[in-house]
Amino acid sequence: MSPRNAERDLRVREERIQLILDSAITVISSKGFGAASISDIAKAAGISIGTMYHYFSSKDEIFADVLKRGQLDYGKRAAELADEQTMPPLVKLHEFAAGWLANPINWAYTIMLQSARTTETVPVEIRQAVTDRFTANLQPIARIMEDGQGRGDIRAGDPLQLAFYYVSLIQGLTLQRAPGFEIPVSIEVDALIRFFEA
């Protein structure tokens, strides 16, 4: 196989996996982990069940991969902002919240995260991994909080606790954006960030 064909095949594979994962987010968040089936996800992705099994061996594997990829991307973005040297901490918090709230799929992803941690039918190893990644992802936000406190811009308090409140607030607001059932109140990121100002 030529390198060009191998490259194309790899790209097609990654695109197909992403299609399956995106479909799984919508299906699992709407139906719940227990009620969603491989068949439902395949139908939403527009592929056969046989093709699904070519990429994933089970619903648990799909669920774990969706959560892992999402949480790693989330943590990477938080770490990039924490490491950025020229942006003031309050602006970093604003950027992160605005980006999270602007993504139309994050309501579904947030439901999946919560379901992963609270649903007994979700395997314990997935529940633990999700909780561990969530906790680790608080660290870069806590660094932003601590930097802002050092500059006198962010209110006093335990930086990790403030990070937890901040993340919980933006994720809670995201849940209010479920399609067709949005709460008719605007979300102003500037107002949200003022809760954390000194």
Side-chain angles (χ1 to χ4, degrees):
M1 181 181 291
S2 74
R4 184 174 293 168
N5 287 341
E7 207 173 276
R8 186 197 69 222
D9 290 348
L10 184 59
R11 188 182 73 251
V12 168
R13 178 177 175 73
E14 278 304 309
E15 288 170 359
R16 183 69 55 88
I17 288 171
Q18 194 59 54
L19 172 66
I20 292 167
L21 297 177
D22 289 346
S23 299
I25 290 172
T26 304
V27 170
I28 294 171
S29 63
S30 298
K31 290 190 164 209
F33 178 76
S37 68
I38 287 276
S39 175
D40 294 327
I41 297 168
K43 183 177 178 183
I47 60 176
S48 71
I49 293 174
T51 300
M52 282 283 285
Y53 282 114
H54 181 69
Y55 296 100
F56 295 98
S57 62
S58 68
K59 181 176 69 172
D60 288 353
E61 186 182 358
I62 294 170
F63 192 54
D65 202 17
V66 165
L67 294 170
K68 182 178 180 180
R69 285 179 183 225
Q71 286 185 295
L72 291 177
D73 288 347
Y74 180 99
K76 180 181 175 190
R77 177 63 181 142
E80 287 170 355
L81 283 170
D83 293 340
E84 210 284 331
Q85 299 296 312
T86 61
M87 192 182 294
L90 287 170
V91 175
K92 291 178 182 183
L93 294 178
H94 188 284
E95 288 289 312
F96 191 81
W100 178 263
L101 292 166
N103 188 329
I105 197 69
N106 279 345
W107 69 272
Y109 185 71
T110 302
I111 288 172
M112 285 183 65
L113 282 172
Q114 190 58 34
S115 295
R117 295 177 56 222
T118 59
T119 304
E120 290 182 10
T121 56
V122 174
V124 172
E125 59 274 7
I126 294 175
R127 295 169 77 184
Q128 189 62 56
V130 166
T131 301
D132 292 347
R133 284 190 299 264
F134 182 93
T135 304
N137 283 345
L138 290 174
Q139 296 301 324
I141 302 295
R143 286 189 1 234
I144 294 170
M145 295 292 185
E146 190 171 20
D147 181 29
Q149 289 172 330
R151 297 173 187 230
D153 296 337
I154 292 179
R155 67 175 50 239
D158 176 13
L160 187 61
Q161 189 176 50
L162 291 174
F164 180 61
Y165 293 159
Y166 169 81
V167 168
S168 297
L169 181 58
I170 63 173
Q171 288 185 348
L173 290 169
T174 302
L175 292 175
Q176 306 311 319
R177 294 196 158 167
F181 300 98
E182 298 93 343
I183 304 302
V185 176
S186 66
I187 298 173
E188 296 178 15
V189 177
D190 290 339
L192 183 154
I193 299 305
R194 281 197 291 275
F195 288 122
F196 299 94
E197 286 181 4

